[in-house]
Amino acid sequence: MIVTTMVNLALADPACAALVADRVYPRQMPDAPTFPLAVITKVYGRGETDQAGAVELEEARVQIDLYTVDGYASLTPLRRAFRQLFHGRAHPREGSPPNPCAIPRATC
């Protein structure tokens, strides 16, 4: 569930979509990909429950892999866009005000 949510958030985010269009994939990239792209994978996670069952909260460790064919420097804007979306704020040197974080807690 968290991977699908993160993929949808990235696709809906103007900054991320401007860089990767609709090329944000869950778990693996397609066989003949167009670059740049992002792959979001849950590497660990557990759901929360109470006496009534699942409470739709999930603690997860998620990996975001970013790919391009233009070298490392071209990854910088892509990395910043994804970091801002999921970490809830821009890079400190950019001087942008914090954005509301879609994911309650994120570490980059």
Side-chain angles (χ1 to χ4, degrees):
M1 185 164 84
I2 188 72
V3 171
T4 302
T5 299
M6 292 178 74
V7 167
N8 291 335
L9 287 169
L11 292 172
D13 181 68
C16 292
L19 297 167
V20 296
D22 63 347
R23 296 180 304 272
V24 181
Y25 303 102
R27 293 174 287 289
Q28 66 182 33
M29 70 176 79
D31 288 335
T34 300
F35 297 96
L37 63 84
V39 177
I40 301 176
T41 307
K42 182 169 100 172
V43 294
Y44 169 80
R46 63 180 178 195
E48 296 288 329
T49 59
D50 63 13
Q51 293 179 352
V55 294
E56 298 195 22
L57 292 176
E58 183 175 2
E59 179 181 340
R61 189 168 291 209
V62 178
Q63 178 175 312
I64 302 172
D65 296 304
L66 304 172
Y67 297 90
T68 184
V69 293
D70 297 327
Y72 185 77
S74 67
L75 285 172
T76 300
L78 193 57
R79 184 189 70 217
R80 284 185 178 156
F82 275 82
R83 177 176 284 180
Q84 183 172 347
L85 173 63
F86 293 121
H87 201 262
R89 62 178 181 210
H91 192 278
R93 286 177 278 181
E94 294 172 3
S96 300
N99 288 337
C101 188
I103 305 297
R105 184 179 68 200
T107 304
C108 296

